[in-house]
């Protein structure tokens, strides 16, 4: 008998299995194919703004995604590097094969039992899950099961007028389990995602595209690795053209997206190229990022042209793009529509409210992306292990992590389209930086036994560096000691907010990334304090009146989506606004600030 059974070997599944195992659970992971565990089904990248924050938090909680990304990284780029540290997003291009191999090795190292096969149904005793039934007639018993089925649950693939069953190209769909999920009333509907065609890199005219080299600076996703371990490749940028857009419009009559074949909504922030052209037809071009898929692989991933158009149209589209005029398509793009559950029926531990011991994680909760899936898997796995072992639950706090923001958003607001992590979703984003994930979440990870001995030592060292630097920042020095005019005497933390004093302040701090985090804390301190005060005031002023003629267009920081929702509902106070479906805490923060300002 196992303590935890995980269904699915994608990013949610592997993090769930690994987290449960780290807490001492006996874990079985069931996957259609042992070799496909840890597969990067879509883009060959990990991280980005918001997403990179999640990866760092997964790492701080002992997860495996960041380490696998570092070991497979063939291109590194710190997004928003010229901006403040709160919005910088680490992102790596990964060698697909090496990433998958690293994930599988990590699972083996955790002692996870991998079972190759199909789960045909859940075993249920009363109001609790008791294990799973396999298609070969065998059963597995466990008091906790994690559903991490990704895009495989009741999935259909689309390309032009073609349709076939599968969760991704060359793989099966989980239809029998999907049927039971529907019968139990656990299904909410269908969502859609997609992938672009893959191109033979040897057929690309690299002289006609803009190169995007890997960063020169040394940084890593994980606390474990500090330097590049593989040769770095260059990515490149090109753009669609008027010819591209004409080819897409000519092929729309064979598009399942516009022919009504697909009923599920796709991700707002990563639409298919045909959707972009229909919705933004006035633009003269859209960027395409050409991303190599591996050191020993000639395939290139053209990020930005996800599509379900026919193969013939995809050929025309590709060959209308500068640098790709003679490109050879190796695998055509397609869309996948799949079944998901309503995350509002989950608790903050990601346990389902109708079946004790059943946890949902990843795209089954209506999210999109490896990073979102991995973070949910870690939460679900940590809590699934608690069922059988009597351990403390892990309930991530939205004030302390983007993991907490995501879980809170999903379980309270639900989804109407695939959910993607954005830094704008958090009202605490100045505090939730990618660089301080270890100091934010390390103590929680230690308390919950989510770290091995080596990781725990790294966290403790980071915390020591941060504490020592924080103490040093309390030291008071005069302007003269800094070589500045005046007689001011301030703490190093206060001087750290002046560009002409940063070098001196840094020279007084101990070395190490923990010290850099403390320095960032000092620089952001006035804003962090204001943010905390706003939060306290917002709680106190939740009944603040919103006039019927209030102008939402004049509210800085309020997205167009939030403005539309508020205009449609016309809440009379902040409390009513907070209960509107889809209204984010960040939107409420902006609205509260505008109301206070207008009343002053």
């Amino acid at each position: 008998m196992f303590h935890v059974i995980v269904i699915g070997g994608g990013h949610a599944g592997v993090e769930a299995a690994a987290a449960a195992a780290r807490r001492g659970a006996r874990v079985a992971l069931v996957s259609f194919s042992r070799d496909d565990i840890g597969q990067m089904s879509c883009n060959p990248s990990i991280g980005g703004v918001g997403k990179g924050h999640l990866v760092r938090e997964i790492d701080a909680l002992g997860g495996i995604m960041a380490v696998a990304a570092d070991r497979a990284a063939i291109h590194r780029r710190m997004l928003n590097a010229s901006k403040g540290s709160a919005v910088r997003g680490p992102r790596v291009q990964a060698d697909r094969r090496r990433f998958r191999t690293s994930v599988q090795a990590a699972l083996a190292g955790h002692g996870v039992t991998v079972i190759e096969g199909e789960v045909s149904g859940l075993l249920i005793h009363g109001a609790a899950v008791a294990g799973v039934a396999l298609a070969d007639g065998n059963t597995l018993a466990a008091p906790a099961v994690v559903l991490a089925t990704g895009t495989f649950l009741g999935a259909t693939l689309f390309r032009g007028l073609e349709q076939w069953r599968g969760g991704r190209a060359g793989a099966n769909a989980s239809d029998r389990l999907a049927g039971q999920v529907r019968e139990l009333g656990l299904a909410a509907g269908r969502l859609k995602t997609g992938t672009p065609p893959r191109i033979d890199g040897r057929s690309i005219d690299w002289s006609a595209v803009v190169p995007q080299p890997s960063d020169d600076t040394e940084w890593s996703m994980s606390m474990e690795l500090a330097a590049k371990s593989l040769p770095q490749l260059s990515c490149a940028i090109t753009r669609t053209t008027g010819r591209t857009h004409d080819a897409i419009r000519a092929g729309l009559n064979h598009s399942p997206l516009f022919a009504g074949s697909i009923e599920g909504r796709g991700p707002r922030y990563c639409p298919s190229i045909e959707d972009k052209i229909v919705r933004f037809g006035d633009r003269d071009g859209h960027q395409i990022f050409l991303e190599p898929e591996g050191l020993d692989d000639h395939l290139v991933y053209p990020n930005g042209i996800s599509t379900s158009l026919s193969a013939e149209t995809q050929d025309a589209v590709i060959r209308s793009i500068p640098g790709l005029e003679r490109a050879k398509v190796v695998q055509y793009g397609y869309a996948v529509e799949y079944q998901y559950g309503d995350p509002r029926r989950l608790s903050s531990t990601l346990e389902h409210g109708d079946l004790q011991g059943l946890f949902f994680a990843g795209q089954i909760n209506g999210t999109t992306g490896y990073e979102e899936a991995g973070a949910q898997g870690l939460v679900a796995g940590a809590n699934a292990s608690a069922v059988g072992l009597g351990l403390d639950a892990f309930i991530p706090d939205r004030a302390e992590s983007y993991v907490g923001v995501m879980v809170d958003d999903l379980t309270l607001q639900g989804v109407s389209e695939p959910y993607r992590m954005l830094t704008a979703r958090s009202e605490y984003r100045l505090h939730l930086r990618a660089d301080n994930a270890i100091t934010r979440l390390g103590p929680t990870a230690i308390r919950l036994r989510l770290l091995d001995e080596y990781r725990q030592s790294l966290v403790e060292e980071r915390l020591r560096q941060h504490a020592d630097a924080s103490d040093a920042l309390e030291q008071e020095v005069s302007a003269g000691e800094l070589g500045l005019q005046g007689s001011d005497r301030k703490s190093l933390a206060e001087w750290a907010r002046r560009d002409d004093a940063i070098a001196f302040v840094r020279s007084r701090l101990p070395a190490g990334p923990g010290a850099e985090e403390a320095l960032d804390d000092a620089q952001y301190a006035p804003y962090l304090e204001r943010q905390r005060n706003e939060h306290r005031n917002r709680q106190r002023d939740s009944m603040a009146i919103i006039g019927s003629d209030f102008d939402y267009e004049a509210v800085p920081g309020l997205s167009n989506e939030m403005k539309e929702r508020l205009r449609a509902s016309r809440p009379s106070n902040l409390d009513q606004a907070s209960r509107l479906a889809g209204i984010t805490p960040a939107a409420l923060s902006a609205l509260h600030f505008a109301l206070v300002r207008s009343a002053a």
Side-chain angles (χ1 to χ4, degrees):
M1 180 174 174
F2 295 98
H3 293 114
V4 177
I5 297 169
V6 178
I7 304 173
H11 304 281
V14 297
E15 292 293 353
R22 286 197 301 279
R23 298 195 79 187
R26 293 190 301 276
V27 182
L29 185 150
V30 185
S31 174
F32 279 124
S33 169
R34 180 186 300 270
D35 293 338
D36 286 344
I37 291 174
Q39 179 80 281
M40 305 179 85
S41 298
C42 192
N43 58 306
S45 67
I46 296 289
V49 179
K51 290 174 175 285
H53 292 68
L54 283 176
V55 178
R56 288 277 177 83
E57 291 180 359
I58 291 170
D59 186 61
L61 292 164
I64 63 180
M65 179 177 283
V67 175
D70 281 334
R71 288 177 175 161
I74 54 176
H75 180 97
R76 299 170 187 262
R77 193 168 187 84
M78 184 66 71
L79 305 184
N80 290 337
S82 62
K83 298 182 180 180
S85 57
V87 294
R88 293 175 194 156
R91 185 176 189 269
V92 304
Q93 294 297 131
D95 181 299
R96 287 186 187 274
R97 181 180 61 79
R98 287 176 169 85
F99 182 89
R100 186 175 65 246
T101 299
S102 180
V103 168
Q104 292 173 8
L107 281 184
H110 280 72
V112 173
T113 300
V114 174
I115 297 173
E116 197 171 57
E118 178 185 357
V119 171
S120 57
L122 302 172
L123 301 179
I124 299 171
H125 288 166
V129 71
V132 302
L134 302 179
D136 63 7
N138 288 317
T139 61
L140 303 173
V145 173
V146 180
L147 268 182
T149 48
T151 61
F152 284 74
L153 200 65
T156 302
L157 303 179
F158 298 84
R159 181 187 298 128
L161 300 180
E162 300 175 80
Q163 295 183 28
W164 67 102
R165 305 299 291 168
R168 63 168 170 252
N172 296 324
S174 183
D175 287 328
R176 282 184 276 191
L177 180 59
Q180 186 192 29
V181 168
R182 287 193 299 271
E183 290 171 5
L184 291 171
L186 306 181
R190 297 179 71 76
L191 292 172
K192 169 256 178 190
T193 188
T195 191
R198 308 300 198 271
I199 299 170
D200 188 330
R202 295 167 296 186
S203 64
I204 295 174
D205 180 1
W206 293 100
S207 67
V209 296
V210 179
Q212 190 179 49
S214 183
D215 282 355
D216 291 331
T217 53
E218 292 285 353
W219 56 265
S220 61
M221 281 290 194
S222 172
M223 67 177 90
E224 286 195 15
L225 304 174
K228 303 180 181 73
S229 58
L230 293 175
Q232 299 294 284
L233 303 181
S234 181
C235 295
I237 303 174
T238 184
R239 295 178 67 84
T240 61
T241 65
R243 285 180 56 220
T244 310
H245 303 175
D246 289 342
I248 290 170
R249 293 187 184 102
L252 288 179
N253 60 326
H254 288 164
S255 167
L257 191 62
F258 294 97
S261 304
I262 297 176
E263 62 181 75
R265 291 190 64 177
R268 174 190 298 260
Y269 302 101
C270 187
S272 65
I273 188 63
E274 55 265 39
D275 201 20
K276 289 181 187 178
I277 301 310
V278 171
R279 290 168 55 193
F280 310 109
D282 56 327
R283 296 193 183 177
D284 59 1
H286 298 268
Q287 275 192 331
I288 299 168
F289 297 87
L290 303 176
E291 301 170 347
E293 298 207 351
L295 292 176
D296 310 311
D297 194 334
H298 296 298
L299 287 185
V300 169
Y301 181 93
N303 196 336
I305 51 172
S306 173
T307 184
S308 57
L309 292 166
S310 68
E312 181 182 4
T313 301
Q314 290 187 45
D315 279 327
V317 167
I318 289 293
R319 288 166 188 166
S320 68
I321 297 170
L324 307 183
E325 292 88 350
R326 298 182 180 178
K328 178 184 177 183
V329 176
V330 178
Q331 177 184 303
Y332 291 99
Y334 57 88
V336 55
E337 187 183 57
Y338 55 94
Q339 189 170 296
Y340 79 103
D342 185 351
R344 291 174 297 182
R345 297 174 68 180
L346 306 177
S347 71
S348 296
T349 64
L350 298 184
E351 185 177 18
H352 204 282
D354 296 336
L355 274 176
Q356 182 182 341
L358 179 63
F359 295 79
F360 279 30
Q363 285 177 284
I364 194 173
N365 287 335
T367 60
T368 182
Y370 305 150
E371 303 84 358
E372 291 86 348
Q376 291 172 73
L378 193 149
V379 174
N383 287 309
S385 66
V387 172
L389 298 176
L391 303 173
D392 290 341
F394 173 35
I395 300 177
D397 185 344
R398 72 173 297 124
E400 290 299 327
S401 67
Y402 277 102
V403 176
V405 170
M406 176 175 58
V407 170
D408 193 54
D409 284 351
L410 292 172
T411 57
L412 291 180
Q413 300 178 32
V415 298
S416 58
E417 61 189 36
Y419 177 100
R420 176 179 179 176
M421 178 48 66
L422 306 167
T423 54
R425 294 190 186 276
S426 173
E427 65 274 40
Y428 304 104
R429 54 188 173 275
L430 293 181
H431 173 53
L432 307 184
R433 307 189 304 270
D435 71 328
N436 68 358
I438 295 171
T439 52
R440 282 190 283 113
L441 297 174
T444 297
I446 292 172
R447 177 176 61 83
L448 294 175
R449 291 166 42 191
L450 282 167
L451 303 177
D452 61 24
E453 186 176 338
Y454 177 58
R455 287 275 191 100
Q456 182 167 329
S457 70
L458 294 177
V459 168
E460 289 170 343
E461 172 60 17
R462 182 73 66 92
L463 293 171
R464 185 194 63 75
Q465 292 174 6
H466 187 276
D468 290 348
S470 296
D471 289 343
L473 285 164
E474 294 300 312
Q475 177 188 353
E476 290 193 350
V477 296
S478 67
E481 291 178 80
L482 275 74
L484 302 175
Q485 296 292 325
S487 57
D488 289 351
R489 187 172 184 82
K490 302 177 183 178
S491 69
L492 288 174
E494 292 174 290
W495 286 117
R497 294 161 208 150
R498 289 185 49 165
D499 290 343
D500 55 359
I502 284 292
F504 177 89
V505 173
R506 185 173 275 112
S507 71
R508 292 294 189 93
L509 300 182
E516 285 297 319
E517 292 174 27
L519 181 58
D520 278 343
D521 289 341
Q523 292 175 312
Y524 278 115
Y527 306 100
L528 291 170
E529 181 59 29
R530 186 177 72 182
Q531 202 170 72
R532 285 189 289 268
N533 288 335
E534 286 177 3
H535 178 60
R536 286 192 292 266
N537 292 338
R538 187 170 66 252
Q539 289 180 314
R540 183 193 64 201
D541 298 335
S542 63
M543 298 306 292
I545 301 300
I546 304 174
S548 59
D549 59 348
F550 186 81
D551 183 10
Y552 294 105
E553 291 294 332
V555 180
L558 204 59
S559 71
N560 289 333
E561 179 189 359
M562 297 300 106
K563 292 174 186 175
E564 289 174 13
R565 292 178 186 272
L566 289 163
R567 278 197 302 266
S569 300
R570 285 292 170 185
S572 60
N573 56 49
L574 273 179
D575 184 55
Q576 287 186 2
S578 71
R579 298 199 302 271
L580 294 178
I583 296 297
T584 65
L588 287 173
S589 181
L591 183 56
H592 172 263
F593 184 74
L595 288 170
V596 171
R597 187 177 57 187
S598 65

